[in-house]
Amino acid sequence: MQVHRLPLRQTNQFSALFLDYMDQASALAEYSGNFPNLEGFAKQIEQKSFSDENRKVLVEVLKQQYQNLTIQPDLDILAQPNTFTVTTGHQLNIFTGPLYVVYKMITVINLAKSLKKAYPDYNFVPVYWMATEDHDFAEINHFSLFGKKYEWNTEQKGAVGRMNPKELEALINEFTDCPEVFKSAYLEKETLSDAVRCYIQELFGAEGLICIDADDRQLKTLFSPIIKDDLLNHSAFAKVQATSHALESLGYKTQIAPREINFFYLSNGVRERIVKEEGIYKVLNTELQFSEEEILALLETQPEHFSPNVVLRPVYEEVILPNLAYIGGPSEVPYWLQLKGAFDYYGVTFPILMPRNFALVVNKASAKKMEKLDLSIEELYHDEITLRKNFVEKHSENSLSLVEEGKTFSVIFEEILAKAIKIDKTLEGAVKGEQQKLLNSLDHLEKRLKKAEERNHETEVNQLLGLKHKLFPNGSSQERVENLLNFSLNNSEFISTLLNTFDALDFSYYTIVE
């Protein structure tokens, strides 16, 4: 196996805001916290405060959530005041979803190990924040395996973490190689949340990864002061909107839009936005409505009915965890930058933002094709037009450029222009016009030469594009399309290979050639 690392900018896959943050652009300093390096983590450890009360509740809730698993993680370590967490989060995609979800978990696991090595007096626990309250079922109900799409269809509604996963039996029966770890999780657990916790414990429990389901009454109680402020004062709306406008004025495209109320009403089968109209709090698409007194009473007695949206979910995370860093993808890191003002307003320590590891896995068959086509790692990341153009020029035995001929004609036209101006200055425009026509003709002829030469290499070009499509399916990155099982079914060491290969603090794009 060979591992190659490329700078993130060189892959042409990331937004300007994400890349500028990673380059520590001074214009973004006020919207971010400490930078994701060892020096930044030393500062974060000093700055992060977490109450004994919140720590006690956290441990109690996690023990309840893990009580039905045969293998129990060490949760008591979280009760110790010198223990911090590092966190990643994602939706409950079936069968782990796209490969990058696994990359997130491996990144957070390796980060905890690196921090323990650097700061042995502290403990660092990697956490997977399960987006159990999310209700966008269409985003989690499918995965791609060996080019075939598998999809879970259900009539269940509301928060996906509360859904019964036993309906997946029909889908499981569609492919005979389904690992037992998924079968037992989906067919024996009563909720999707419990099922995901079960198989994550099997896959990553030995590495210390802990799952948290924040759809919990006790945890929501800790967050209730901020829920109340959002309902009454809409503070987060003003703060995030101001930051968003500031980032846009710098030329960046922002990811999320705050609302006056950044909470959903959550109950079995329902997760709908709460809005305030003429003094009345209404739950969209339902008959539910509350006066101010009634909704505050609901918050006091049943805080579990309030589910934060993308604006306040990050704040919720940092309130209930002794967290130092959030590990996210190239869209997540930028939208967290929009939230710094809200964190500051609520007096919640803003976490270190860092990207997950990125990777392209090239199997042996594809590696042989690369060798045959004399294709470098760097060239893999070129767009198809550039890839085709460079390949033909690189392998052609003929000169395909007419640049020198164009220079010769330019010299000739300079002489013609000099003669013409001596006779009649008004001829200058006509001469330059004829010159441009000729240069345009040369450009057209050059393109025809290259097209003709491309036809001479048609077989190799088709092989090249076929390889590109395989490694970047549908024009997207491999990690956003392919599933873990595409690699682990034929390689039982795949996860351990990634664990040993990735460096959480190395912000490169990995190309792993088997």
Side-chain angles (χ1 to χ4, degrees):
M1 183 185 75
Q2 296 180 332
V3 179
H4 303 263
R5 296 173 177 83
L6 289 177
L8 295 180
R9 282 190 182 275
Q10 198 169 327
T11 66
N12 302 308
Q13 295 188 31
F14 303 104
S15 70
L17 180 53
F18 174 75
L19 292 170
D20 286 352
Y21 167 73
M22 294 310 302
D23 288 342
Q24 302 184 66
S26 58
L28 298 176
E30 64 180 292
Y31 310 114
S32 59
N34 294 314
F35 191 72
N37 53 27
L38 291 179
E39 179 183 355
F41 276 101
K43 295 177 182 178
Q44 195 75 13
I45 289 170
E46 293 297 319
Q47 295 169 1
K48 179 66 178 182
S49 62
F50 194 67
S51 71
D52 292 339
E53 176 192 357
N54 287 24
R55 193 178 288 276
K56 182 179 178 181
V57 171
L58 173 65
V59 174
E60 181 180 338
V61 169
L62 285 172
K63 286 186 174 181
Q64 292 172 359
Q65 293 182 356
Y66 272 89
Q67 64 182 346
N68 293 325
L69 291 187
T70 303
I71 302 175
Q72 297 285 320
D74 177 14
L75 297 173
D76 288 326
I77 192 174
L78 284 165
Q80 300 176 21
N82 64 334
T83 295
F84 297 96
T85 62
V86 287
T87 302
T88 191
H90 203 76
Q91 296 159 298
L92 307 185
N93 298 70
I94 59 174
F95 297 88
T96 73
L99 191 56
Y100 72 83
V101 179
V102 174
Y103 292 172
K104 279 185 168 185
M105 297 182 196
I106 290 174
T107 305
V108 77
I109 288 168
N110 283 348
L111 175 61
K113 293 178 182 178
S114 295
L115 292 177
K116 182 61 176 178
K117 184 177 180 180
Y119 307 108
D121 292 338
Y122 299 94
N123 302 312
F124 304 93
V125 177
V127 172
Y128 166 40
W129 179 286
M130 301 190 295
T132 57
E133 297 178 38
D134 191 274
H135 64 278
D136 196 342
F137 180 70
E139 290 193 6
I140 70 137
N141 74 334
H142 60 278
F143 72 102
S144 178
L145 179 62
F146 301 130
K148 180 179 179 180
K149 183 179 180 181
Y150 292 85
E151 188 169 345
W152 174 18
N153 296 304
T154 184
E155 297 298 319
Q156 298 180 74
K157 304 290 185 182
V160 297
R162 299 183 179 189
M163 292 182 177
N164 190 324
K166 294 181 180 179
E167 292 180 355
L168 283 165
E169 183 173 10
L171 189 150
I172 288 172
N173 292 334
E174 285 188 41
F175 65 101
T176 57
D177 295 328
C178 179
E180 187 62 34
V181 62
F182 293 109
K183 284 184 181 180
S184 59
Y186 287 133
L187 303 183
E188 295 176 11
K189 300 301 179 183
E190 298 298 323
T191 67
L192 187 59
S193 175
D194 287 342
V196 173
R197 183 183 300 105
C198 179
Y199 75 67
I200 290 297
Q201 179 64 22
E202 288 290 328
L203 294 175
F204 298 107
E207 303 295 335
L209 183 65
I210 290 175
C211 300
I212 185 168
D213 180 356
D215 183 5
D216 181 89
R217 175 189 173 87
Q218 293 185 79
L219 296 178
K220 293 285 178 69
T221 299
L222 300 178
F223 196 50
S224 59
I226 291 177
I227 300 176
K228 182 178 180 179
D229 176 79
D230 194 67
L231 292 171
L232 299 179
N233 303 319
H234 317 315
S235 302
F237 173 73
K239 297 298 181 181
V240 176
Q241 191 176 54
T243 301
S244 300
H245 290 163
L247 288 170
E248 289 165 2
S249 70
L250 293 172
Y252 296 115
K253 182 179 179 181
T254 54
Q255 300 284 337
I256 59 173
R259 299 185 183 278
E260 290 188 345
I261 296 177
N262 293 285
F263 285 89
F264 295 89
Y265 178 87
L266 179 65
S267 65
N268 287 333
V270 175
R271 188 178 187 245
E272 295 287 351
R273 280 180 53 212
I274 300 172
V275 298
K276 187 177 182 180
E277 297 176 354
E278 299 179 349
I280 300 297
Y281 293 87
K282 299 179 179 180
V283 179
L284 295 181
N285 301 314
T286 75
E287 299 298 319
L288 293 170
Q289 59 181 38
F290 308 89
S291 67
E292 181 177 299
E293 182 180 358
E294 289 170 334
I295 203 163
L296 292 179
L298 179 68
L299 175 60
E300 178 71 23
T301 59
Q302 301 178 69
E304 65 271 21
H305 284 303
F306 295 86
S307 176
N309 69 0
V310 68
V311 170
L312 285 179
R313 192 279 301 164
V315 181
Y316 180 33
E317 171 189 301
E318 298 304 310
V319 166
I320 65 174
L321 291 173
N323 198 50
L324 299 179
Y326 182 78
I327 290 81
S331 295
E332 289 176 285
V333 170
Y335 88 64
W336 276 71
L337 295 175
Q338 295 177 245
L339 307 179
K340 181 66 160 51
F343 274 84
D344 291 344
Y345 175 79
Y346 290 120
V348 178
T349 305
F350 193 68
I352 290 176
L353 301 181
M354 61 182 292
R356 62 173 173 82
N357 286 123
F358 304 95
L360 169 67
V361 180
V362 181
N363 63 22
K364 292 179 180 178
S366 294
K368 287 183 178 179
K369 288 183 180 178
M370 286 181 61
E371 184 178 359
K372 180 182 178 182
L373 294 168
D374 190 24
L375 191 66
S376 69
I377 295 295
E378 291 77 8
E379 289 173 313
L380 278 179
Y381 294 90
H382 292 166
D383 62 78
E384 288 189 15
I385 294 175
T386 303
L387 192 60
R388 181 193 292 113
K389 172 179 172 291
N390 290 353
F391 179 84
V392 172
E393 292 180 353
K394 181 178 179 181
H395 294 87
S396 176
E397 297 179 357
N398 303 302
S399 175
L400 305 178
S401 173
L402 296 180
V403 172
E404 292 303 319
E405 287 79 358
K407 291 179 179 178
T408 300
F409 280 120
S410 294
V411 172
I412 294 172
F413 267 92
E414 285 178 8
E415 296 175 356
I416 294 173
L417 181 60
K419 290 181 179 180
I421 290 176
K422 285 183 179 180
I423 298 171
D424 185 346
K425 290 185 178 180
T426 62
L427 292 175
E428 180 179 1
V431 173
K432 289 185 175 180
E434 292 300 322
Q435 180 183 8
Q436 190 58 52
K437 287 181 183 178
L438 181 57
L439 292 176
N440 291 341
S441 295
L442 285 176
D443 183 59
H444 178 67
L445 286 171
E446 183 177 294
K447 290 179 180 178
R448 292 191 63 179
L449 287 173
K450 292 178 178 178
K451 204 70 177 176
E453 186 68 1
E454 187 176 311
R455 288 194 295 270
N456 293 335
H457 293 272
E458 184 175 4
T459 300
E460 294 92 337
V461 168
N462 288 338
Q463 291 174 350
L464 176 68
L465 297 182
L467 176 63
K468 176 72 174 180
H469 296 163
K470 178 176 177 58
L471 297 177
F472 296 84
N474 304 319
S476 184
S477 61
Q478 179 193 72
E479 60 184 23
R480 303 195 70 83
V481 177
E482 305 288 10
N483 178 265
L484 169 66
L485 296 177
N486 283 327
F487 303 91
S488 62
L489 284 178
N490 297 319
N491 180 3
S492 60
E493 301 298 317
F494 183 69
I495 289 178
S496 62
T497 297
L498 295 177
L499 283 164
N500 292 327
T501 299
F502 287 169
D503 178 351
L505 296 171
D506 175 19
F507 308 123
S508 301
Y509 205 110
Y510 288 70
T511 305
I512 303 171
V513 183
E514 296 181 343

